[in-house]
Amino acid sequence: MRCPLCLLAACASLIPPLSATAQPVTTLPAVEVETPRLRSVFAFDTPASIDRIDLRGDSAMAGMNLSERLGAVPGLLARDRQNHAQDTQLSIRGFGARSTFGVRGVRLYADGIPATMPDGQGQLSHFSLAAGDRVEIIRGPFSALYGNSSGGVVQLFSAVGQEPDEATARVTAAGDDSYGASARWLGRQGRVGFNLAAALLDTGGYRRHSAARRESANARFDVDLASDGTLSLLFNHLDIPQAQDPLGLTRAQANADPRQVAAVAEQFNTRKSVQQDQAGAVYTQAFAGGHQLRVAGYAGQRQVEQFLALPVAAQGNPLNSGGVIDLDNDYGGVDARWSWQGEVAGRPFEWTAGANSERMRQHRRGYENYVGSALGVRGALRRDERNRVENVDEFVQAWWQLAERWSLLAGVRHSQVRFRSEDYYANAVNPDDSGRVRYAQTTPVGGVMFRASDDLRFYLSAGRGFETPTFNELGYRADGGAGLAFDLAPAISRNVELGMKWRNGAGTALEAALFRADTDDELAVASNSGGRSTYRNVGRARRQGLEASFDVPLGQDWNLQLAYTWLQASFRDGFLICTGSGCTVPATPVTAGSRIPGVPRQQLFARLQWQHANWSAAAEAAGVGEVVVNDIASESAPGYALLHLELSRRWALGQGALRGFARIDNVLDHRYIGSVIVNEGNGRFYEPGPDRTLLIGAEWKSAR
C-alpha cells in the first residue's frame, strides 16, 4: 500500500477548516451501539470501524434477506446467491470469501445470542428483518475480542416493545413467482415489552431448479425487574423445506443462458432442508457504584439434510461417505460478564471482564444418493459419527480517557476450542476414524483515539485474531481418505487499522480507514468436487486496503450516501493445489503474490434519496470489481455495475398508515455474475445474478 498516511490525509482534507471564528453548529446526537461492549462510549469515540444500520425506517426491498441492507457498509460484501440451499455469501475485508456455503471468518449474533457455532461456522438464514431494530457491524482488530474470527462481527437486534402498541403487516410480489409476507406486533403490557414477528418467503427462483420456501417466527419479551434489573426472553423458529440447489455454471453456460441449471442438479434433484429452533435468555442487573452484571444462556437444535450431485461411480470407493448429508446439531452456551464504569485518576474509565462457554453436538450421517437406478434418493448408510466441539473463553477489556483529547481501548481474550469425533461406521474396509484435536490462542488488541475537535477523531488500533477450521472444513480429508482432517492448523492474523471520523451539525458524516491483516497458516480450498470441499493450510496471506463512507444531506429533501472499498488480498507464499475432479494429490502450483479468489479489488455503493411529504424516491448504484474464481486465477468473473430505482407513497388510513412501494432492480438489465463458488472442481464457478426485476409491495402500520 503506497503512502497510507497520504490517503488518510486526502480524506481529512475534505473536512472544512476549523477556526476560532467559525459559526457554532449543533452537534449531532451520539449514536449508541452495543457491538464494542462499551456502556458509556459511543461509536464515534471508539477506535474501530463501526456501522449501525437502522431497520426501523421505510424500505422498498423484499425485507427477507439481510444482504438487502448491507450494501452501504464499506469493506463488507454480501452476495445473494439466488440459492436458498446455500445461504448468503458474507465476507468482511476478504475474510470469509472462500466459504462455499454459510458464513465463516465473521462472527454473527442475533439479540446477543451467537449465530456462529463454536467452530466458527455461522448462518444468516434465521436473522429476522421483520422483528429487527438495527444491525451493527464492527470490522478490524477489535473483532478478536469476540473469539474465533478475524474479519468482523455482525449483530442483529430486535426492537424492544414500548407503549403504545404498534402492528405492522407487509406483503411483496416480484418476478420469478416470488412472494413475501410478514407481520409484527410490538408493544408493552405493564412491565413486559413484547415483539412478535413472523415472515414467509416463497419463490420459484431466478434459475431453474432453485425454488424455495422459508418460514420464520421470532418472539422477544423484555421484563423490567425490581432494582434496575431486566430479563429478555428470546425465541426463534426457522423452516426451509427442500430448497432446490441449481449448483454453479461454467462460463460458457452462464453466457449462453444464465437461467439454466447444471444437468446433474436435476438428475440427482440436489436440494437442502433446514429446521432450526432456539431459545435464549439475557439477564442484566445494575448495581450501585456503576457496576453491572450480564448473564446470557441459550440452547437450540438445527437439522440439515442435503442431497449432493456426487456421481455414483465415486461412491464405489469404500471410504466415500455418500452423496446425502444428514446433520443433527444440538447447541447451547452461557455468557457472563461484569462491567464497571467510573473514574481513574479523575478521568472516565470503564472495564468489562467475562467468560463464555459454548458447545455443539453433531450427529453426522452420510448415505448413498441412489437406490438401484433411482437417483436423488436416500440409499445405504456410508457414514455415522458423533462430533462435538466446545469452547471456553475468557476476556477482559478496558477503556480510559487518559487526557482531555486522548483515550485508550485495550483488551485480551483467551480461547480454547476442542473438537472430538467418534466413528460409529467402522468395518474391515473402513477403519475407525475417531479422534480429537484442541486449539488454544490468546488474542490481544488495543487502540488509541485522538479527539482533534468536537467533530473530528483520528485513531490507530492493532491486534491479533485467529480462525480454527470449522467442522465443515474438517469434514473431509484432502487425501481422499475417510475421517476428519485433524491435521489442519488454525489461521493466525495480525491486524492493524488507521482511521478517521468526522461529522458536522448539518448531518454530514465522513469516515475512512486504512487496514492490513497478515495471516499465517491461511486456510484455503484444497479440492472442491461433487459438492464437497477439502481444505489445507497454505502459508502466509495478506489483506490490505482502504474503506471510506460519506453521508451528506443535500437540502431539505435530498440525501446522498456513498461507500467505497479498495482491497488487495493475496497469498504471500506459493503452494500446490488440486485441479480437476477426483484429484487428491496437489500438483498445480500457485505462485506467491497470487490473488485470493472470491475477493473483488473494488466495491462502490451510492444512494441518492428524495423524500417530501408522503412521497419518497431513490436511485441506487452498486459496483463490484473483477473476481478471480480459483487459486491459479485461470478464470475470473467480470466486474459489474447495477442501477436500482425505488418509489413509494404513503396514505393515512383509519388508525394507521398504508404505504405502497415499488423497486426495479438491475434497471439496465445488465447480465452479470452475482457470486462465485471458489475452486469448484468441475469448473462450475459461476452463479448468475438476476436480470431486470420489478418488486411491488404494500405495508400497513398502525398509528402510535
Side-chain angles (χ1 to χ4, degrees):
M1 192 185 306
R2 296 184 178 179
C3 192
L5 288 174
C6 299
L7 289 173
L8 196 61
C11 292
S13 69
L14 299 173
I15 301 171
L18 303 172
S19 68
T21 59
Q23 294 297 316
V25 295
T26 303
T27 301
L28 287 171
V31 176
E32 289 189 64
V33 294
E34 296 185 33
T35 302
R37 293 196 181 115
L38 294 170
R39 294 164 51 199
S40 61
V41 185
F42 297 110
F44 190 68
D45 294 305
T46 302
S49 294
I50 301 173
D51 282 89
R52 183 184 191 273
I53 300 171
D54 192 349
L55 300 179
R56 296 171 297 179
D58 294 338
S59 169
M61 301 182 200
M64 293 294 167
N65 297 315
L66 185 61
S67 59
E68 300 170 6
R69 308 302 296 267
L70 298 179
V73 180
L76 185 152
L77 180 62
R79 294 178 179 263
D80 184 351
R81 304 177 63 179
Q82 306 298 311
N83 184 348
H84 291 273
Q86 299 295 352
D87 209 352
T88 299
Q89 281 185 343
L90 179 68
S91 63
I92 293 181
R93 294 183 175 176
F95 289 97
R98 72 171 181 272
S99 181
T100 54
F101 56 90
V103 177
R104 62 107 57 251
V106 177
R107 298 289 295 182
L108 306 175
Y109 293 84
D111 288 319
I113 303 299
T116 298
M117 295 297 103
D119 63 343
Q121 184 78 32
Q123 304 289 336
L124 285 168
S125 53
H126 73 288
F127 275 36
S128 174
L129 295 184
D133 176 74
R134 67 191 187 281
V135 179
E136 296 178 4
I137 301 103
I138 183 170
R139 308 180 300 284
F142 278 96
S143 63
L145 290 180
Y146 284 78
N148 186 4
S149 69
S150 294
V153 179
V154 177
Q155 295 210 61
L156 180 140
F157 294 92
S158 299
V160 177
Q162 301 291 342
E163 293 181 332
D165 291 6
E166 177 186 272
T168 304
R170 178 186 175 94
V171 293
T172 61
D176 304 314
D177 295 323
S178 296
Y179 304 94
S182 63
R184 182 173 79 173
W185 182 22
L186 189 69
R188 175 170 290 271
Q189 295 292 328
R191 290 178 173 266
V192 181
F194 57 87
N195 181 347
L196 307 176
L200 168 67
L201 171 66
D202 198 306
T203 178
Y206 167 66
R207 296 174 57 199
R208 293 192 292 275
H209 197 73
S210 62
R213 180 182 178 89
R214 187 177 71 199
E215 303 171 0
S216 64
N218 287 74
R220 173 172 179 162
F221 301 94
D222 294 278
V223 185
D224 292 335
L225 306 176
S227 303
D228 296 325
T230 60
L231 176 65
S232 298
L233 302 175
L234 309 162
F235 304 93
N236 173 266
H237 168 75
L238 172 70
D239 186 16
I240 306 177
Q242 298 199 4
Q244 295 177 329
D245 187 350
L247 305 179
L249 298 176
T250 66
R251 183 65 178 273
Q253 290 173 327
N255 289 340
D257 179 9
R259 287 181 176 267
Q260 69 175 296
V261 61
V264 292
E266 295 181 318
Q267 291 171 4
F268 287 93
N269 189 19
T270 49
R271 61 198 185 274
K272 183 178 181 180
S273 298
V274 178
Q275 276 195 329
Q276 178 174 305
D277 292 281
Q278 72 176 33
V282 181
Y283 170 68
T284 304
Q285 178 65 59
F287 296 95
H291 294 273
Q292 185 185 79
L293 170 68
R294 180 189 181 276
V295 180
Y298 69 96
Q301 255 189 350
R302 185 178 177 94
Q303 298 174 320
V304 178
E305 182 185 54
Q306 185 171 14
F307 287 76
L308 307 175
L310 190 65
V312 172
Q315 298 171 68
N317 183 341
L319 300 182
N320 190 280
S321 56
V324 180
I325 298 173
D326 187 345
L327 298 177
D328 289 334
N329 295 322
D330 294 320
Y331 59 91
V334 293
D335 181 289
R337 67 188 72 155
W338 190 280
S339 62
W340 175 79
Q341 60 183 87
E343 290 188 353
V344 170
R347 295 286 183 182
F349 183 87
E350 178 178 341
W351 64 261
T352 300
N356 73 284
S357 177
E358 302 169 0
R359 183 187 66 187
M360 179 181 71
R361 291 179 174 176
Q362 179 187 88
H363 189 188
R364 177 187 285 264
R365 287 161 291 191
Y367 298 87
E368 294 173 349
N369 58 0
Y370 65 93
V371 176
S373 60
L375 303 179
V377 295
R378 179 182 290 209
L381 179 70
R382 298 295 298 271
R383 185 174 193 169
D384 187 3
E385 64 193 31
R386 305 270 183 168
N387 300 320
R388 177 170 174 163
V389 57
E390 58 187 5
N391 75 281
V392 177
D393 290 19
E394 307 86 24
F395 78 92
V396 60
Q397 70 177 54
W399 175 88
W400 185 35
Q401 186 176 330
L402 72 165
E404 182 179 353
R405 293 182 178 271
W406 295 89
S407 62
L408 295 174
L409 177 62
V412 62
R413 186 180 187 104
H414 178 72
S415 301
Q416 296 184 67
V417 186
R418 296 183 177 90
F419 294 83
R420 185 175 68 188
S421 179
E422 297 178 1
D423 189 358
Y424 289 85
Y425 187 78
N427 51 47
V429 293
N430 192 327
D432 186 344
D433 297 300
S434 301
R436 63 182 62 194
V437 65
R438 171 183 173 272
Y439 304 110
Q441 191 67 216
T442 299
T443 52
V445 62
V448 57
M449 172 72 78
F450 173 64
R451 180 173 176 258
S453 70
D454 288 344
D455 297 329
L456 179 62
R457 306 287 190 271
F458 292 96
Y459 66 90
L460 175 67
S461 60
R464 186 168 62 204
F466 85 113
E467 297 177 50
T468 68
T470 69
F471 251 130
N472 288 320
E473 292 164 340
L474 292 169
Y476 303 101
R477 288 167 43 178
D479 61 5
L484 301 184
F486 285 125
D487 59 331
L488 292 179
I492 310 298
S493 297
R494 298 172 304 281
N495 300 281
V496 62
E497 179 177 324
L498 174 66
M500 57 81 65
K501 305 178 184 183
W502 173 78
R503 63 185 184 183
N504 68 10
T508 302
L510 171 67
E511 294 191 13
L514 293 153
F515 59 88
R516 173 177 287 180
D518 289 305
T519 303
D520 295 327
D521 290 323
E522 173 80 10
L523 282 161
V525 174
S527 65
N528 196 339
S529 178
R532 282 198 184 125
S533 300
T534 65
Y535 295 83
R536 58 178 299 204
N537 297 103
V538 297
R540 297 177 301 160
R542 173 172 291 170
R543 297 165 176 88
Q544 61 182 358
L546 165 70
E547 299 169 352
S549 62
F550 186 53
D551 196 338
V552 55
L554 302 175
Q556 184 175 356
D557 300 328
W558 295 84
N559 190 83
L560 176 64
Q561 192 175 13
L562 300 171
Y564 174 76
T565 305
W566 177 78
L567 174 59
Q568 184 184 59
S570 60
F571 297 110
R572 304 285 288 169
D573 292 328
F575 57 96
L576 300 176
I577 63 166
C578 271
T579 56
S581 179
C583 171
T584 58
V585 179
T588 303
V590 176
T591 60
S594 297
R595 289 176 60 182
I596 295 176
V599 182
R601 279 277 175 88
Q602 298 187 79
Q603 292 173 243
L604 177 66
F605 174 88
R607 181 181 174 88
L608 178 64
Q609 182 160 336
W610 170 80
Q611 187 166 353
H612 181 76
N614 294 319
W615 286 94
S616 177
E620 193 174 281
V624 176
E626 177 195 25
V627 175
V628 298
V629 298
N630 54 6
D631 291 331
I632 60 175
S634 62
E635 294 190 39
S636 63
Y640 60 85
L642 304 178
L643 175 65
H644 317 300
L645 298 177
E646 297 178 4
L647 180 67
S648 67
R649 171 73 158 85
R650 184 186 301 276
W651 297 270
L653 184 65
Q655 297 299 313
L658 176 66
R659 185 173 66 92
F661 55 90
R663 178 180 169 98
I664 304 177
D665 284 307
N666 193 6
V667 172
L668 303 179
D669 204 20
H670 183 65
R671 182 172 286 190
Y672 68 104
I673 301 300
S675 56
V676 298
I677 305 172
V678 172
N679 288 322
E680 210 283 332
N682 299 291
R684 297 192 293 263
F685 305 110
Y686 305 98
E687 295 179 306
D691 47 23
R692 185 189 298 120
T693 304
L694 170 65
L695 178 143
I696 58 174
E699 182 180 75
W700 177 83
K701 184 178 293 186
S702 66
R704 298 197 65 166

